[in-house]
Amino acid sequence: MDRFNTMIKYFKYFSYLAILSSWITILISVYFNPWFKLTRNALSDLGGGNLLSGHPPPKYPFIYNYGMIITGLFMILFSIYIIYISRNKIENSGGTIFSISGLFLILIGIYHEGTYPHDFVSMWFYIITSFSIFFIGISILAIKNYKYGLTLTLLPIISWLIYAFADFKSGAEGEIFGIIVIQISVIIYLVSLRHYKFNRR
């Protein structure tokens, strides 16, 4: 059991791997597809489609698709850490929902652009992740850590309002905005943990 507890504590580092994996995947995919324009395309254009989709067929689409799958796996592994260290049922629920968002990111890699479920899994990835962040924020408020709890509770709400009213010129701009919000939320959550002493060993 002690070895298991020690191992699980290191699962928090999968959050950093997920962040690195997402950007490495995007940057490498863009490098091999110079036709990609941030102000015109969607990120998913790097994983599938053809001229009928309004862009050339991507070169090495497996880089983007497998990258999403790997990043989703990292998210699920990090969610195990959230669930393990959860301090109340709300945080446990937030971690569980976060694991589902990781699953939806994996589905984005499997059901790439040009497949029927793609738009559904892409949109719901952001929706489910937002719910996860909101629940985690509420759970932190419940332990009276108002600074971080309020930030994480309001961040997904404010970000969706910005997304609704901002003049994003392309799908990619909106998606990158969402990615940045998610990653900032994860970092805020990790920082909040430094101000809490766990009894679990």
Side-chain angles (χ1 to χ4, degrees):
M1 182 60 71
D2 289 340
R3 181 178 298 179
F4 175 78
N5 291 340
T6 301
M7 181 182 68
I8 290 295
K9 289 178 181 179
Y10 288 104
F11 274 42
K12 68 180 178 181
Y13 296 109
F14 283 113
S15 61
Y16 301 114
L17 289 175
I19 292 172
L20 286 174
S21 174
S22 64
W23 290 114
I24 289 172
T25 297
I26 292 169
L27 292 174
I28 293 177
S29 297
V30 169
Y31 173 80
F32 283 114
N33 294 278
W35 51 263
F36 179 88
K37 302 297 181 185
L38 181 63
T39 56
R40 189 176 63 196
N41 295 103
L43 291 179
S44 295
D45 292 348
L46 298 166
N50 49 45
L51 290 173
L52 295 176
S53 306
H55 62 82
K59 189 175 184 180
Y60 308 133
F62 63 86
I63 294 175
Y64 183 82
N65 296 327
Y66 286 142
M68 293 299 101
I69 292 172
I70 291 170
T71 304
L73 287 172
F74 288 152
M75 288 181 65
I76 291 173
L77 291 170
F78 175 59
S79 72
I80 295 173
Y81 174 77
I82 298 174
I83 294 168
Y84 176 76
I85 59 94
S86 61
R87 293 151 287 187
N88 51 53
K89 292 181 179 179
I90 305 173
E91 188 171 16
N92 189 292
S93 298
T96 302
I97 297 170
F98 196 79
S99 70
I100 297 172
S101 66
L103 175 60
F104 268 74
L105 188 58
I106 291 173
L107 291 176
I108 290 174
I110 296 173
Y111 296 111
H112 53 77
E113 182 181 306
T115 60
Y116 176 73
H118 177 74
D119 290 341
F120 175 82
V121 296
S122 296
M123 179 57 69
W124 276 94
F125 164 72
Y126 290 101
I127 294 173
I128 293 170
T129 309
S130 297
F131 275 114
S132 171
I133 295 167
F134 178 81
F135 271 85
I136 290 173
I138 293 295
S139 75
I140 296 175
L141 283 174
I143 60 172
K144 300 182 179 180
N145 189 334
Y146 300 113
K147 175 182 176 182
Y148 295 107
L150 192 60
T151 301
L152 289 176
T153 302
L154 293 178
L155 192 56
I157 298 172
I158 294 172
S159 65
W160 275 106
L161 289 173
I162 292 173
Y163 179 80
F165 293 103
D167 184 24
F168 292 115
K169 294 181 174 62
S170 68
E173 288 184 347
E175 290 165 341
I176 288 175
F177 170 73
I179 291 169
I180 291 172
V181 170
I182 292 169
Q183 294 179 352
I184 289 175
S185 300
V186 169
I187 292 171
I188 292 173
Y189 174 67
L190 291 171
V191 171
S192 75
L193 297 179
R194 297 178 182 177
H195 301 270
Y196 188 89
K197 182 178 288 186
F198 297 98
N199 293 322
R200 183 173 290 179
R201 295 290 185 267

